[in-house]
Amino acid sequence: MSERAEKTEINFSFKCPICSEGKIEISKVIYDVPDGDKMLIIKFECNVCNYSNNDIIPLTTNFTPGIMKLKVINEDDLKSKIYRSPVGSLEIPELELVVNPGPRADFYYTNVEGILFRFENAVSIYRKNLEEDDAQIKEIDKILQDLGKAINGEFKFTLIITDTGGGSYIIPNDKSKYSFEKFEPKELN
Ligand SMILES: [Zn+2]
């Protein structure tokens, strides 16, 4: 992105795709990440219904490979922003959930809640395809139950992103619950 492009102000609004009555308002915020990098957060909000969405765009490319951990204790922590690059793996050990990096891995611009909803959807589909006498069902139902609690902020867990190439981010709502551990060069081999 050139400097000139960064300075260009784009002011426009469009009709809400959900209620088709409201107008979507766009706001931009530049956020300083704890390690000194900057992220651009673009927020879309309808002025009539509850629709809102946001995009997170990293503005700097000085990424450090490492392990990011976020402790999720309450509903507020669910709003923490997550950006997982294609080389990052995402894990919630307490819920036995893992997203592996790979050529087909999606970029995730979302928040913790968004990740839980994706997991819930994927696990529910998996559950529906099991035979009723499948030995896994009990375990799967327990995971779905815990996921439901997690979505309501009633289940404590740790969200871990391991990124060997750098580029992933967690933007915590509460910085005291976030930790980052740099990879030592030898661990990259
Ligand atoms: Zn709307």
Side-chain angles (χ1 to χ4, degrees), residues 82-147:
I82 306 293
Y83 167 60
R84 185 183 67 88
S85 87
V87 296
S89 72
L90 189 152
E91 203 184 332
I92 300 178
E94 294 88 344
L95 294 167
E96 295 175 47
L97 300 171
V98 181
V99 182
N100 288 313
R104 292 198 54 211
D106 295 322
F107 281 78
Y108 273 171
Y109 297 105
T110 183
N111 57 21
V112 179
E113 199 175 33
I115 284 171
L116 294 176
F117 281 130
R118 279 171 212 234
F119 274 140
E120 189 186 43
N121 190 35
V123 176
S124 299
I125 291 168
Y126 184 78
R127 166 73 168 81
K128 270 183 208 148
N129 290 321
L130 291 176
E131 298 292 335
E132 274 312 312
D133 57 355
D134 195 300
Q136 281 182 297
I137 280 190
K138 226 177 143 185
E139 196 191 337
I140 299 285
D141 283 347
K142 175 80 172 81
I143 290 173
L144 280 173
Q145 204 186 347
D146 289 344
L147 258 169

Side-chain angles (χ1 to χ4, degrees), residues 16 19 22 46 49 51:
C16 175
C19 68
C46 177
C49 71
Y51 175 76

Side-chain angles (χ1 to χ4, degrees), residues 2-9:
S2 73
E3 266 182 52
R4 181 170 293 185
E6 274 181 28
K7 283 176 193 159
T8 307
E9 277 292 327

Side-chain angles (χ1 to χ4, degrees), residues 15-24 45-51:
K15 231 193 228 179
C16 175
I18 305 302
C19 68
S20 61
E21 279 172 33
K23 205 173 76 178
I24 299 290
E45 260 182 319
C46 177
N47 64 354
V48 174
C49 71
N50 286 326
Y51 175 76

